[in-house]
Amino acid sequence: MRLNITSSTSSDGVVEQRFSLGEIPGVLWTPEAATGPRPLVLIGHGGGQHKTSPRVVAGARDFVTELGFAAVAIDAPGHGDQPRTPELDRAFTDMRTRAAAGEPMFELVAGLHTMLAERSVPQRRSVLDAVAELDRVGGGPVGYLGMSLGCGLGVPLVAAEPRIRAAVLGLFGALGLAEPAARITVPVRFVMQWDDERVPRQKALALFDAFAATEKTLHANPGGHGDVPEFETRDAVRFLARHLS
Amino acid sequence: MRLNITSSTSSDGVVEQRFSLGEIPGVLWTPEAATGPRPLVLIGHGGGQHKTSPRVVAGARDFVTELGFAAVAIDAPGHGDQPRTPELDRAFTDMRTRAAAGEPMFELVAGLHTMLAERSVPQRRSVLDAVAELDRVGGGPVGYLGMSLGCGLGVPLVAAEPRIRAAVLGLFGALGLAEPAARITVPVRFVMQWDDERVPRQKALALFDAFAATEKTLHANPGGHGDVPEFETRDAVRFLARHLS
């Protein structure tokens, strides 16, 4: 399957191209006038967000302008421009109903992630295949960056995908992820919020514990799910630069 | 009390001066040809080590050559060139006897730190007073860097000393330190080892929890007490650069 580029814009040294790969909607960022292979960072957005949410775009532009890397993001199943399906609609409705009835939100969200990952992992792997065919990306090393839903879908992806050489993950916990995490041996940066209202502290620590990587670092900061400090973003760029350059 | 400089050597852009301040033995590192005030990093060595242990010297030289800062270290009580006292000798002997009898090492070490801190905190504060009188250091912002014993003595120091604006601490736990930690409001980087054979994981997490700082970050890496990765050292330099520059 080949990438179908549907639009291309350029600003401040960064080319942003929207594409479709079959029914998968995505965006690719590369340096202007780029030729030849370069490291690629695959960015997984958070729950309720999409491939061009502000944090995704800002991160992608950092990788391109500071490191000369390429970056790519696709919508997660049930998000952004992905086709809706009756099965996904039922799952989202069911989750909201059970949450309103007082079921623990973390468990409900973890269950949803597991379901979404079944679709998301093969979609992302096929995007890596297609992007590697472009001469300005090529088959170089790949990094992964994803928090919250981006972690829930990222852990099984990183476990399954040998092209991914390093990953920044976080804002989620062990439920359903300990098994794939135990298959991850590439360097991992794991970011958690010490007072996360959505992810129990012990579940986050247990996920960090589960990674099989010999180089793994936990970064914890005070505050809630949405309060990750700006310096962690800078640090994620340095971490992936160190492992992919 | 004035600093009495007893030797001065210079290599690779760094002037290293041994000094005594009363009975306190110390070392000061500054850039060659430095004039005028600059940020200062006070480095606290680990247990059984001293003011010119390799890690202390390497860290001090990094602050001088990379950032143009000054760095200073003194021996902890009972360490290096500090005068021995019957009281300290008894305390060390008592600790070894009780450890041999199977008492938990972490509790014994924490008790020793509490005793050493009573002497160390006023000594370090008087060194900050004296060093500020030097025109090539001056009364600029101060950072603290100390792991293990350097953390056990550092937490009460940082709590007591308003000149210290940021601190890198770690490799120790909450016993005896939660109260001073709860008075620390400057930015803290706390480094722990996930499999530390000397510091129980929950004690280290509890110490991180206790800091009152709104900017505090926990960094945890796999491995034992002596296995802190090199990249954490690099990161500590960047952290103090960010807060003191």
Side-chain angles (χ1 to χ4, degrees):
Chain A
M1 207 154 43
R2 280 194 57 185
L3 216 62
N4 176 31
I5 290 172
T6 53
S7 79
S8 188
T9 59
S10 181
S11 66
D12 299 326
V14 182
V15 179
E16 179 177 309
Q17 296 178 301
R18 306 233 169 189
F19 65 80
S20 60
L21 179 72
E23 67 178 8
I24 309 165
V27 189
L28 174 69
W29 294 268
T30 48
E32 276 178 13
T35 55
R38 66 196 61 250
L40 170 71
V41 178
L42 174 57
I43 303 178
H45 64 75
Q49 302 190 0
H50 55 77
K51 65 187 174 306
T52 51
S53 291
R55 275 196 174 233
V56 175
V57 175
R61 296 189 74 94
D62 284 347
F63 288 112
V64 172
T65 57
E66 291 180 31
L67 306 174
F69 288 6
V72 67
I74 66 170
D75 290 320
H79 289 72
D81 300 320
Q82 285 266 7
R84 307 296 297 259
T85 68
E87 184 198 3
L88 283 175
D89 283 348
R90 268 195 307 275
F92 284 112
T93 304
D94 181 51
M95 188 185 79
R96 279 189 285 266
T97 308
R98 292 166 68 184
E103 288 195 38
M105 199 62 193
F106 175 71
E107 277 78 352
L108 293 172
V109 171
L112 188 69
H113 286 187
T114 302
M115 186 192 136
L116 297 181
E118 280 175 35
R119 286 164 194 261
S120 175
V121 171
Q123 285 189 345
R124 285 174 169 177
R125 297 188 76 180
S126 65
V127 166
L128 291 183
D129 294 339
V131 168
E133 298 293 315
L134 302 171
D135 82 313
R136 68 191 179 283
V137 181
V142 178
Y144 182 81
L145 169 63
M147 301 287 143
S148 199
L149 172 67
C151 176
L153 306 188
V155 169
L157 173 69
V158 178
E161 178 49 77
R163 285 172 289 194
I164 297 178
R165 310 285 176 82
V168 179
L169 299 160
L171 298 183
F172 210 67
L175 204 63
L177 296 181
E179 183 277 321
R183 287 185 282 121
I184 293 178
T185 56
V186 298
V188 169
R189 170 70 42 92
F190 186 73
V191 178
M192 68 176 281
Q193 287 294 97
W194 201 241
D195 314 293
D196 195 318
E197 72 283 8
R198 299 194 201 170
V199 182
R201 187 183 292 176
Q202 293 309 323
K203 296 282 190 221
L205 294 174
L207 178 51
F208 173 68
D209 219 12
F211 292 113
T214 53
E215 182 180 335
K216 60 179 181 179
T217 306
L218 171 72
H219 283 192
N221 290 286
H225 197 75
D227 299 330
V228 176
E230 172 58 23
F231 58 77
E232 287 296 349
T233 310
R234 310 301 316 143
D235 205 76
V237 171
R238 270 197 299 268
F239 171 80
L240 289 175
R242 182 153 59 87
H243 288 290
L244 303 179
S245 293
Chain B
M1 208 158 38
R2 281 196 57 188
L3 217 60
N4 176 32
I5 290 172
T6 54
S7 79
S8 188
T9 58
S10 181
S11 66
D12 299 327
V14 182
V15 179
E16 178 177 310
Q17 296 178 302
R18 306 234 169 190
F19 66 80
S20 60
L21 179 72
E23 66 177 8
I24 308 165
V27 189
L28 175 69
W29 295 267
T30 48
E32 276 177 13
T35 55
R38 66 196 61 252
L40 170 71
V41 178
L42 174 57
I43 303 179
H45 64 74
Q49 303 190 1
H50 55 78
K51 63 186 174 309
T52 51
S53 291
R55 276 197 172 234
V56 175
V57 175
R61 297 189 74 95
D62 284 348
F63 288 112
V64 172
T65 57
E66 291 180 31
L67 305 174
F69 288 7
V72 68
I74 66 170
D75 289 321
H79 289 71
D81 301 320
Q82 284 266 6
R84 305 297 297 261
T85 69
E87 184 198 3
L88 282 174
D89 283 347
R90 269 196 307 276
F92 283 112
T93 304
D94 181 53
M95 189 185 79
R96 278 189 287 265
T97 309
R98 292 166 68 184
E103 288 195 38
M105 199 62 196
F106 175 71
E107 277 79 352
L108 293 171
V109 171
L112 188 69
H113 286 187
T114 302
M115 187 193 135
L116 298 181
E118 280 175 34
R119 286 164 192 261
S120 175
V121 170
Q123 286 189 346
R124 286 175 169 175
R125 298 187 74 182
S126 65
V127 166
L128 291 182
D129 294 340
V131 168
E133 298 294 314
L134 302 172
D135 82 314
R136 65 191 181 284
V137 181
V142 178
Y144 183 80
L145 169 63
M147 300 286 142
S148 199
L149 172 67
C151 175
L153 306 187
V155 169
L157 173 69
V158 178
E161 180 48 77
R163 285 173 288 194
I164 297 177
R165 310 287 176 80
V168 180
L169 299 160
L171 298 182
F172 211 67
L175 205 61
L177 295 180
E179 182 277 320
R183 288 185 281 121
I184 293 178
T185 56
V186 297
V188 169
R189 170 70 42 93
F190 186 73
V191 178
M192 69 176 280
Q193 288 293 96
W194 201 242
D195 314 293
D196 196 318
E197 71 284 8
R198 299 195 200 170
V199 182
R201 188 184 291 175
Q202 293 308 322
K203 297 281 191 221
L205 294 173
L207 179 51
F208 173 69
D209 219 13
F211 292 113
T214 53
E215 183 181 334
K216 59 178 181 180
T217 306
L218 171 71
H219 284 192
N221 289 286
H225 197 73
D227 300 330
V228 176
E230 173 58 25
F231 59 76
E232 287 296 348
T233 310
R234 310 301 318 144
D235 205 78
V237 172
R238 269 196 300 268
F239 172 79
L240 290 175
R242 181 154 59 88
H243 289 290
L244 303 179
S245 291

